[in-house]
Amino acid sequence: MIRSELVQKIASENSDLRVDEVERIVDTFFDSIVEQLAAGGRVELRGFGAFSTRARESRTGRNPRTGASVDVKAKNVPYFKPGKEMRERLND
């Protein structure tokens, strides 16, 4: 499912909301998660899972085309840990 399909599904299940209102809600939801992660926080949605960041150390990588060494800077990457309820539903 892609973002536009999610918006359409929510709009079809909530006939009192217009599609542009649903788009604003979905945008606000995802923006809030990104802002919290960018600030170094964590977002936990009970029954669904938790979003957090993990630190990656700087390292030396390889350019796959030339084989030359490339310095890769340290960075934070998003991480998602599924909740217990999600894991159980996926494995039933």
Side-chain angles (χ1 to χ4, degrees), residues 5-16:
E5 292 171 338
L6 176 63
V7 168
Q8 289 300 320
K9 182 167 178 62
I10 293 171
S12 68
E13 292 180 7
N14 296 280
S15 59
D16 55 322

Side-chain angles (χ1 to χ4, degrees), residues 5-91:
E5 292 171 338
L6 176 63
V7 168
Q8 289 300 320
K9 182 167 178 62
I10 293 171
S12 68
E13 292 180 7
N14 296 280
S15 59
D16 55 322
L17 295 173
R18 295 188 321 266
V19 174
D20 63 317
E21 292 173 325
V22 174
E23 285 181 7
R24 275 201 323 269
I25 292 168
V26 170
D27 287 343
T28 302
F29 176 75
F30 289 126
D31 289 345
S32 297
I33 292 174
V34 171
E35 287 172 12
Q36 185 66 25
L37 293 177
R42 181 173 191 259
V43 177
E44 184 174 332
L45 305 170
R46 299 277 176 184
F48 183 73
F51 295 92
S52 60
T53 58
R54 297 249 169 120
R56 294 270 171 94
E57 301 285 328
S58 61
R59 62 185 174 84
T60 301
R62 295 253 176 232
N63 180 329
R65 183 174 290 170
T66 65
S69 294
V70 178
D71 290 330
V72 179
K73 296 180 182 178
K75 59 185 170 185
N76 290 321
V77 294
Y79 176 75
F80 176 74
K81 181 178 179 182
K84 180 181 177 184
E85 185 178 322
M86 178 186 277
R87 286 192 310 268
E88 288 172 353
R89 287 182 68 185
L90 292 174
N91 294 305

